[in-house]
Coordinates of all heavy atoms in Angstrom, one line a residue:
M11 N 91.0 105.5 94.1 CA 92.1 105.5 95.0 C 92.4 104.1 95.5 O 91.4 103.4 95.7 CB 91.9 106.4 96.2 CG 93.0 106.5 97.2 SD 92.7 107.4 98.6 CE 93.1 109.0 98.0
N12 N 93.6 103.7 95.5 CA 94.0 102.4 95.9 C 94.9 102.4 97.1 O 95.7 103.4 97.2 CB 94.7 101.6 94.8 CG 93.7 101.2 93.7 OD1 92.8 100.5 93.9 ND2 93.9 101.8 92.5
A13 N 94.9 101.4 97.9 CA 95.8 101.3 99.0 C 96.7 100.1 98.8 O 96.2 99.1 98.2 CB 95.1 101.1 100.3
Y14 N 98.0 100.2 99.1 CA 98.9 99.1 98.9 C 99.8 98.9 100.2 O 100.1 99.8 100.8 CB 99.9 99.5 97.8 CG 99.2 99.7 96.4 CD1 98.7 100.9 96.1 CD2 99.1 98.6 95.6 CE1 98.1 101.1 94.9 CE2 98.4 98.8 94.4 CZ 97.9 100.0 94.0 OH 97.3 100.2 92.8
N15 N 100.0 97.6 100.5 CA 100.9 97.3 101.5 C 102.3 97.3 100.9 O 102.6 96.7 99.9 CB 100.6 95.8 102.0 CG 99.4 95.8 102.8 OD1 99.0 96.7 103.5 ND2 98.7 94.6 102.7
I16 N 103.2 98.0 101.6 CA 104.6 98.0 101.2 C 105.3 97.1 102.1 O 105.6 97.4 103.2 CB 105.2 99.4 101.2 CG1 104.4 100.3 100.2 CG2 106.7 99.4 100.8 CD1 104.9 101.8 100.2
S17 N 105.6 95.9 101.5 CA 106.3 94.9 102.3 C 107.1 94.0 101.3 O 106.8 93.9 100.1 CB 105.4 94.0 103.1 OG 104.5 93.2 102.3
N18 N 108.1 93.4 101.8 CA 109.0 92.5 101.0 C 108.8 91.1 101.5 O 109.4 90.8 102.6 CB 110.4 93.0 101.0 CG 111.3 92.3 100.1 OD1 111.0 91.2 99.6 ND2 112.5 92.8 99.9
P19 N 108.2 90.2 100.8 CA 108.0 88.9 101.4 C 109.3 88.1 101.6 O 109.3 87.1 102.3 CB 107.1 88.2 100.3 CG 107.2 89.0 99.1 CD 107.6 90.4 99.5
S20 N 110.4 88.6 101.0 CA 111.7 87.9 101.3 C 112.4 88.5 102.5 O 113.5 88.1 102.8 CB 112.6 88.0 100.0 OG 113.0 89.3 99.8
S21 N 111.7 89.4 103.2 CA 112.3 90.1 104.3 C 111.5 90.0 105.6 O 111.5 90.8 106.5 CB 112.6 91.6 104.0 OG 113.5 91.7 103.1
V22 N 110.7 88.9 105.7 CA 109.9 88.7 106.9 C 110.9 88.4 108.1 O 111.8 87.6 108.0 CB 108.9 87.5 106.7 CG1 108.2 87.2 108.0 CG2 108.0 87.8 105.6
A23 N 110.7 89.2 109.2 CA 111.5 89.1 110.4 C 110.7 89.3 111.6 O 109.8 90.1 111.6 CB 112.7 90.1 110.3
S24 N 111.0 88.6 112.7 CA 110.4 88.8 113.9 C 110.9 90.0 114.6 O 112.0 90.6 114.2 CB 110.6 87.6 114.8 OG 112.0 87.5 115.2
I25 N 110.3 90.5 115.6 CA 110.8 91.6 116.4 C 112.2 91.3 117.0 O 113.1 92.1 117.0 CB 109.8 92.1 117.5 CG1 108.6 92.6 116.8 CG2 110.5 93.0 118.5 CD1 107.4 93.0 117.8
K26 N 112.3 90.0 117.4 CA 113.6 89.6 118.0 C 114.7 89.7 116.9 O 115.8 90.1 117.1 CB 113.5 88.1 118.5 CG 114.8 87.6 119.0 CD 114.7 86.1 119.4 CE 116.1 85.6 119.9 NZ 116.3 84.2 119.6
D27 N 114.4 89.2 115.7 CA 115.3 89.2 114.5 C 115.7 90.7 114.3 O 116.9 91.0 114.1 CB 114.7 88.7 113.3 CG 114.4 87.2 113.3 OD1 115.1 86.5 114.1 OD2 113.6 86.7 112.5
M28 N 114.7 91.6 114.2 CA 115.0 93.0 114.0 C 115.9 93.6 115.1 O 116.8 94.3 114.8 CB 113.7 93.8 113.9 CG 112.9 93.5 112.6 SD 111.5 94.6 112.4 CE 110.3 93.8 113.5
A29 N 115.6 93.3 116.3 CA 116.4 93.8 117.4 C 117.9 93.3 117.3 O 118.8 94.1 117.5 CB 115.8 93.4 118.8
E30 N 118.0 92.0 116.9 CA 119.4 91.5 116.8 C 120.1 92.1 115.6 O 121.3 92.5 115.7 CB 119.3 89.9 116.6 CG 118.9 89.2 117.8 CD 118.6 87.7 117.6 OE1 118.4 87.3 116.4 OE2 118.6 87.0 118.6
L31 N 119.4 92.3 114.5 CA 120.1 93.0 113.4 C 120.5 94.4 113.7 O 121.6 94.9 113.3 CB 119.1 93.0 112.2 CG 118.9 91.6 111.5 CD1 117.7 91.7 110.5 CD2 120.2 91.2 110.8
L32 N 119.6 95.2 114.3 CA 119.9 96.6 114.7 C 121.0 96.7 115.7 O 121.9 97.5 115.6 CB 118.6 97.3 115.2 CG 117.6 97.6 114.1 CD1 116.3 98.0 114.7 CD2 118.1 98.6 113.1
A33 N 121.0 95.8 116.7 CA 122.0 95.8 117.7 C 123.4 95.5 117.1 O 124.4 96.1 117.4 CB 121.7 94.8 118.8
K34 N 123.4 94.5 116.2 CA 124.7 94.1 115.5 C 125.2 95.3 114.7 O 126.3 95.6 114.7 CB 124.4 92.9 114.7 CG 125.7 92.4 114.0 CD 125.5 91.2 113.2 CE 126.8 90.8 112.5 NZ 126.6 89.7 111.6
G35 N 124.3 95.9 113.9 CA 124.7 97.0 113.1 C 125.1 98.2 113.9 O 126.0 98.9 113.4
A36 N 124.6 98.4 115.0 CA 125.0 99.6 115.9 C 126.2 99.2 116.7 O 126.7 100.1 117.4 CB 123.8 100.0 116.7
G37 N 126.5 98.0 116.8 CA 127.7 97.6 117.6 C 127.4 97.6 119.1 O 128.3 98.0 119.9
V38 N 126.1 97.3 119.5 CA 125.7 97.3 120.9 C 125.3 95.9 121.3 O 124.9 95.1 120.5 CB 124.6 98.3 121.2 CG1 125.1 99.8 120.9 CG2 123.4 98.0 120.4
K39 N 125.4 95.7 122.6 CA 125.0 94.4 123.2 C 123.5 94.4 123.3 O 122.9 95.3 123.9 CB 125.7 94.1 124.5 CG 125.3 92.8 125.1 CD 126.0 92.7 126.5 CE 125.6 91.4 127.1 NZ 126.1 91.2 128.5
L40 N 122.9 93.3 122.9 CA 121.4 93.2 123.0 C 121.1 92.3 124.3 O 121.6 91.3 124.4 CB 120.8 92.6 121.8 CG 119.3 92.3 121.8 CD1 118.5 93.6 121.9 CD2 118.9 91.5 120.6
V41 N 120.3 92.9 125.2 CA 119.9 92.1 126.3 C 118.3 91.9 126.2 O 117.6 92.9 126.1 CB 120.2 92.9 127.6 CG1 119.7 92.1 128.9 CG2 121.7 93.1 127.7
M42 N 117.9 90.7 126.3 CA 116.5 90.4 126.2 C 116.0 89.7 127.5 O 116.8 88.9 128.0 CB 116.1 89.5 125.0 CG 116.3 90.2 123.7 SD 115.7 89.3 122.4 CE 117.3 88.6 121.7
D43 N 114.8 90.0 128.0 CA 114.3 89.4 129.1 C 113.2 88.4 128.7 O 112.5 88.6 127.6 CB 113.6 90.4 130.0 CG 114.5 91.3 130.8 OD1 115.7 90.9 131.0 OD2 114.2 92.5 131.0
V44 N 113.1 87.3 129.4 CA 112.0 86.3 129.1 C 110.8 86.8 129.8 O 110.8 87.1 131.0 CB 112.5 84.9 129.6 CG1 111.3 83.9 129.4 CG2 113.8 84.5 129.0
P45 N 109.7 86.9 129.0 CA 108.4 87.4 129.6 C 107.8 86.4 130.6 O 107.9 85.2 130.5 CB 107.5 87.5 128.3 CG 108.0 86.5 127.4 CD 109.5 86.5 127.6
D46 N 107.1 87.0 131.6 CA 106.4 86.2 132.5 C 105.0 85.8 132.0 O 104.7 86.3 130.9 CB 106.3 86.9 133.9 CG 105.5 88.2 133.8 OD1 104.7 88.4 133.0 OD2 105.8 89.1 134.7
A47 N 104.3 85.1 132.6 CA 103.0 84.6 132.2 C 102.0 85.7 131.8 O 101.3 85.7 130.8 CB 102.3 83.6 133.2
K48 N 102.0 86.8 132.6 CA 101.1 87.9 132.4 C 101.5 88.6 131.1 O 100.7 89.0 130.3 CB 101.2 88.9 133.6 CG 100.3 90.0 133.5 CD 100.3 90.9 134.7 CE 99.4 92.1 134.5 NZ 99.5 93.1 135.7
E49 N 102.8 88.8 130.9 CA 103.3 89.5 129.7 C 103.0 88.7 128.5 O 102.6 89.2 127.4 CB 104.8 89.8 129.8 CG 105.1 90.8 130.9 CD 106.6 91.0 131.1 OE1 107.3 89.9 131.1 OE2 107.1 92.1 131.3
K50 N 103.1 87.4 128.6 CA 102.9 86.5 127.4 C 101.4 86.6 126.9 O 101.2 86.5 125.7 CB 103.2 85.1 127.7 CG 104.6 84.7 127.7 CD 104.9 83.3 127.9 CE 106.3 82.9 127.9 NZ 106.6 81.5 128.1
K51 N 100.5 86.9 127.8 CA 99.1 87.0 127.4 C 98.9 88.2 126.5 O 97.9 88.2 125.7 CB 98.2 87.2 128.6 CG 98.1 85.9 129.4 CD 97.2 86.1 130.6 CE 97.1 84.9 131.4 NZ 96.2 85.0 132.6
A52 N 99.7 89.2 126.5 CA 99.6 90.4 125.6 C 100.2 90.2 124.3 O 100.1 91.0 123.4 CB 100.2 91.6 126.3
F53 N 100.9 89.1 124.1 CA 101.6 88.8 122.8 C 100.7 88.5 121.7 O 99.6 87.9 121.9 CB 102.6 87.7 122.9 CG 103.9 88.0 123.7 CD1 104.8 87.0 124.0 CD2 104.1 89.3 124.2 CE1 106.0 87.3 124.7 CE2 105.2 89.6 125.0 CZ 106.2 88.6 125.2
N54 N 101.1 88.8 120.5 CA 100.3 88.4 119.3 C 100.4 86.9 119.1 O 101.5 86.4 118.9 CB 100.9 89.1 118.1 CG 100.1 88.9 116.8 OD1 99.3 88.0 116.8 ND2 100.3 89.7 115.8
P55 N 99.3 86.2 119.1 CA 99.4 84.7 119.0 C 99.7 84.2 117.6 O 100.0 83.1 117.4 CB 97.9 84.3 119.4 CG 97.1 85.4 119.0 CD 97.9 86.6 119.3
M56 N 99.7 85.1 116.6 CA 99.9 84.7 115.2 C 101.5 84.5 115.0 O 102.3 85.3 115.5 CB 99.4 85.8 114.2 CG 97.9 85.9 114.3 SD 97.2 87.2 113.3 CE 98.4 87.8 112.2
Q57 N 101.8 83.5 114.4 CA 103.2 83.2 114.1 C 103.8 84.1 113.0 O 104.9 84.4 112.9 CB 103.4 81.7 113.7 CG 103.2 80.8 114.9 CD 104.2 81.0 116.0 OE1 105.4 81.1 115.8 NE2 103.7 81.1 117.2
N58 N 102.9 84.4 112.0 CA 103.4 85.3 110.9 C 102.3 86.3 110.6 O 101.2 86.0 110.2 CB 103.6 84.4 109.7 CG 104.1 85.2 108.5 OD1 104.1 86.5 108.5 ND2 104.5 84.5 107.4
S59 N 102.5 87.5 110.9 CA 101.5 88.6 110.7 C 102.1 89.6 109.7 O 101.9 90.8 109.8 CB 101.1 89.3 112.0 OG 102.2 89.8 112.7
S60 N 102.8 89.1 108.7 CA 103.3 89.9 107.6 C 102.3 90.4 106.7 O 101.2 89.8 106.6 CB 104.5 89.2 106.9 OG 104.0 88.0 106.3
L61 N 102.5 91.5 106.1 CA 101.6 92.1 105.1 C 101.6 91.4 103.8 O 102.6 90.8 103.4 CB 102.0 93.6 104.9 CG 101.9 94.5 106.1 CD1 102.5 95.9 105.8 CD2 100.5 94.6 106.7
N62 N 100.5 91.4 103.1 CA 100.4 90.8 101.8 C 100.8 91.9 100.7 O 100.1 92.9 100.6 CB 98.9 90.4 101.5 CG 98.8 89.7 100.2 OD1 99.5 90.0 99.2 ND2 97.8 88.7 100.1
S63 N 101.8 91.6 100.0 CA 102.3 92.6 99.0 C 101.9 92.2 97.6 O 102.5 92.8 96.6 CB 103.8 92.7 99.2 OG 104.4 91.5 99.0
E64 N 101.0 91.3 97.4 CA 100.7 90.8 96.0 C 100.2 92.0 95.1 O 100.6 92.1 93.9 CB 99.7 89.7 96.1 CG 100.2 88.4 96.6 CD 99.1 87.3 96.7 OE1 98.1 87.5 96.1 OE2 99.4 86.3 97.4
K65 N 99.4 92.8 95.7 CA 98.8 93.9 94.9 C 99.9 94.9 94.3 O 99.9 95.2 93.2 CB 97.8 94.7 95.7 CG 97.0 95.7 95.0 CD 96.0 96.3 95.9 CE 95.1 97.4 95.2 NZ 94.2 98.0 96.1
L66 N 100.8 95.2 95.2 CA 101.9 96.1 94.8 C 102.9 95.4 93.8 O 103.3 96.0 92.8 CB 102.7 96.6 96.0 CG 103.8 97.6 95.8 CD1 103.2 98.9 95.2 CD2 104.5 97.9 97.1
M67 N 103.1 94.1 94.1 CA 104.0 93.4 93.2 C 103.5 93.2 91.9 O 104.2 93.1 90.9 CB 104.5 92.1 93.9 CG 105.3 92.3 95.1 SD 105.7 90.8 96.0 CE 107.1 90.2 95.0
S68 N 102.1 93.1 91.8 CA 101.4 92.9 90.5 C 101.7 94.2 89.6 O 101.6 94.1 88.3 CB 100.0 92.7 90.6 OG 99.3 93.9 91.0
L69 N 102.1 95.3 90.2 CA 102.4 96.5 89.4 C 103.9 96.5 88.9 O 104.3 97.4 88.3 CB 102.1 97.7 90.2 CG 100.7 98.0 90.6 CD1 100.6 99.2 91.6 CD2 99.8 98.1 89.4
G70 N 104.6 95.5 89.4 CA 106.0 95.4 89.0 C 107.0 95.7 90.1 O 108.2 95.8 89.9
W71 N 106.5 96.1 91.3 CA 107.4 96.5 92.4 C 108.0 95.2 93.0 O 107.4 94.2 93.1 CB 106.6 97.2 93.5 CG 107.5 97.6 94.6 CD1 108.1 98.8 94.7 CD2 107.8 96.9 95.8 NE1 108.8 98.8 95.9 CE2 108.6 97.7 96.6 CE3 107.4 95.6 96.3 CZ2 109.1 97.3 97.8 CZ3 107.9 95.2 97.5 CH2 108.8 96.0 98.3
N72 N 109.3 95.4 93.3 CA 110.0 94.3 94.0 C 111.0 95.0 95.0 O 111.6 96.0 94.7 CB 110.8 93.4 93.1 CG 109.9 92.5 92.3 OD1 109.3 91.6 92.9 ND2 109.9 92.6 91.0
G73 N 111.1 94.4 96.2 CA 112.1 94.9 97.1 C 113.5 94.8 96.6 O 113.8 93.9 95.8
L74 N 114.3 95.8 96.9 CA 115.7 95.8 96.4 C 116.7 95.0 97.2 O 117.7 94.6 96.7 CB 116.2 97.2 96.3 CG 115.4 98.2 95.4 CD1 116.0 99.6 95.4 CD2 115.5 97.6 93.9
F75 N 116.4 94.8 98.5 CA 117.3 94.0 99.4 C 116.5 93.4 100.5 O 115.4 93.7 100.7 CB 118.4 94.9 99.9 CG 118.0 96.3 100.2 CD1 117.3 96.6 101.4 CD2 118.2 97.4 99.4 CE1 116.9 97.9 101.7 CE2 117.8 98.7 99.7 CZ 117.2 98.9 100.8
D76 N 117.2 92.5 101.2 CA 116.6 91.8 102.3 C 116.6 92.6 103.6 O 117.1 93.7 103.7 CB 117.2 90.4 102.5 CG 118.7 90.6 102.9 OD1 119.2 91.7 103.2 OD2 119.4 89.5 102.8
A77 N 116.0 92.1 104.7 CA 115.9 92.8 105.9 C 117.3 93.1 106.5 O 117.5 94.3 107.0 CB 115.1 92.0 107.0
R78 N 118.2 92.2 106.5 CA 119.5 92.5 107.0 C 120.2 93.7 106.4 O 120.7 94.6 107.0 CB 120.4 91.2 106.9 CG 121.8 91.4 107.4 CD 122.8 90.3 107.1 NE 122.8 90.0 105.7 CZ 123.5 90.7 104.8 NH1 124.2 91.7 105.2 NH2 123.6 90.3 103.5
T79 N 120.1 93.7 105.1 CA 120.7 94.8 104.3 C 120.0 96.1 104.6 O 120.6 97.2 104.8 CB 120.7 94.5 102.8 OG1 121.4 93.3 102.6 CG2 121.4 95.6 102.0
G80 N 118.7 96.0 104.7 CA 117.9 97.3 105.0 C 118.2 97.8 106.4 O 118.3 99.0 106.5
F81 N 118.3 97.0 107.4 CA 118.7 97.4 108.7 C 120.1 98.0 108.8 O 120.4 99.0 109.4 CB 118.4 96.4 109.8 CG 117.0 96.2 110.1 CD1 116.4 95.0 109.8 CD2 116.2 97.2 110.6 CE1 115.0 94.8 110.1 CE2 114.9 97.0 110.9 CZ 114.3 95.8 110.7
E82 N 121.0 97.4 108.0 CA 122.4 97.9 108.0 C 122.4 99.3 107.4 O 123.1 100.2 107.9 CB 123.3 96.9 107.1 CG 123.6 95.7 107.8 CD 124.4 94.7 107.0 OE1 124.5 94.9 105.8 OE2 124.8 93.6 107.5
H83 N 121.6 99.5 106.3 CA 121.5 100.8 105.7 C 120.9 101.8 106.7 O 121.4 103.0 106.8 CB 120.6 100.8 104.5 CG 121.2 100.2 103.3 ND1 122.3 100.7 102.6 CD2 120.9 99.0 102.6 CE1 122.6 99.9 101.6 NE2 121.8 98.9 101.5
T84 N 119.9 101.4 107.4 CA 119.2 102.3 108.4 C 120.2 102.7 109.5 O 120.3 103.9 109.8 CB 118.0 101.6 109.0 OG1 117.1 101.3 108.0 CG2 117.3 102.4 110.1
V85 N 120.9 101.8 110.0 CA 121.9 102.1 111.1 C 123.0 103.0 110.5 O 123.3 104.0 111.2 CB 122.6 100.8 111.7 CG1 123.7 101.1 112.6 CG2 121.5 100.0 112.4
R86 N 123.5 102.8 109.3 CA 124.5 103.7 108.7 C 124.0 105.1 108.6 O 124.6 106.0 108.9 CB 125.0 103.1 107.4 CG 126.0 103.9 106.7 CD 126.5 103.4 105.4 NE 125.4 102.9 104.5 CZ 124.6 103.6 103.8 NH1 124.8 104.9 103.8 NH2 123.7 103.1 103.0
I87 N 122.7 105.2 108.1 CA 122.1 106.5 107.9 C 122.0 107.3 109.2 O 122.3 108.5 109.3 CB 120.8 106.4 107.1 CG1 121.0 106.0 105.7 CG2 120.0 107.7 107.2 CD1 119.8 105.5 105.0
I88 N 121.6 106.6 110.2 CA 121.4 107.2 111.5 C 122.8 107.6 112.1 O 122.9 108.7 112.6 CB 120.7 106.2 112.5 CG1 119.2 106.1 112.1 CG2 120.8 106.8 113.9 CD1 118.5 105.0 112.8
K89 N 123.8 106.8 111.9 CA 125.1 107.1 112.4 C 125.7 108.3 111.7 O 126.4 109.1 112.3 CB 126.1 105.9 112.3 CG 125.9 104.8 113.3 CD 126.9 103.7 113.1 CE 126.8 102.7 114.2 NZ 127.8 101.6 114.0
E90 N 125.4 108.4 110.4 CA 125.9 109.6 109.6 C 125.1 110.8 109.9 O 125.4 111.9 109.4 CB 125.8 109.2 108.2 CG 126.8 108.1 107.8 CD 126.7 107.7 106.3 OE1 125.8 108.2 105.6 OE2 127.4 106.8 105.9
G91 N 124.0 110.7 110.7 CA 123.2 111.9 111.0 C 122.3 112.4 109.9 O 121.9 113.6 109.8
K92 N 122.0 111.5 108.9 CA 121.2 111.9 107.8 C 119.7 111.7 108.0 O 118.9 111.9 107.1 CB 121.7 111.2 106.5 CG 123.1 111.5 106.1 CD 123.5 110.7 104.9 CE 124.9 111.1 104.5 NZ 125.3 110.3 103.3
L93 N 119.4 111.3 109.2 CA 118.0 111.0 109.5 C 117.5 112.0 110.5 O 118.1 112.4 111.5 CB 117.8 109.6 109.9 CG 116.4 109.1 110.2 CD1 115.6 109.1 108.8 CD2 116.4 107.8 110.7

């Protein structure tokens, strides 16, 4: 049995990027607060914590689209009630 990370290295996005893409796709205003010192301590200190997809890609798998397109599809599917 093998385990594989399903990730697309061309679609690395921060949580902020994801929130912006989803808000834009949904047509809603995004409001973000700046964290205080206590909240910042709980943040992940790593700048890039994306998954390694080399094992899956060695089998010939490749992502079909980037993060922006993926989130646009997700919002459309949710709006259509297909999820």
